Amino acid sequence: MEEPEMQLKGKKVTDKFTESVYVLANEPSVALYRLQEHVRRSLPELAQHKADMQRWEEQSQGAIYTVEYACSAVKNLVDSSVYFRSVEGLLKQAISIRDHMNASAQGHSQEKLSSPSST
């Protein structure tokens, strides 16, 4: 009879021990410790990811500003075609006036040259 009684006592002891280990393993302070360990291990990597993302955001903002500025410059060039046509017309008009003045000046100098010889 001793053996079944010993087995029963052994089973009770192992059950109590298992229950105690289970309770200890699932105690809130142990859970907080595991959470703390997880945070301690993963925080440096998360901080690096955050820094990388901020750097990429700054680079993206710079690129976006550059593209917007270039688009604005191209739009202004397209809009200024009216002014270029106006300047072109004024230049043609100025050239025409210059040619007319040169022709008039040559005509006057030829008259002056031909007048004294005819007197």
Side-chain angles (χ1 to χ4, degrees), residues 50-67:
K50 181 182 178 185
D52 291 343
M53 294 301 286
Q54 286 174 335
R55 190 175 67 250
W56 292 337
E57 181 184 15
E58 289 172 6
Q59 290 173 348
S60 297
Q61 290 297 326
I64 289 169
Y65 174 77
T66 302
V67 168

Side-chain angles (χ1 to χ4, degrees), residues 3-38:
E3 194 173 308
E5 189 176 312
M6 275 304 255
Q7 283 183 349
L8 185 62
K9 285 183 180 181
K11 183 168 174 25
K12 283 183 182 181
V13 168
T14 56
D15 286 347
K16 285 283 188 186
F17 181 75
T18 303
E19 183 181 340
S20 296
V21 169
Y22 181 79
V23 167
L24 285 175
N26 292 307
E27 184 182 1
S29 63
V30 173
L32 291 176
Y33 173 76
R34 288 181 180 162
L35 183 62
Q36 178 186 12
E37 285 298 309
H38 172 72

Side-chain angles (χ1 to χ4, degrees), residues 92-104:
K92 284 181 181 178
Q93 186 180 6
I95 291 170
S96 174
I97 292 171
R98 183 199 65 190
D99 291 344
H100 181 67
M101 289 175 68
N102 285 341
S104 295

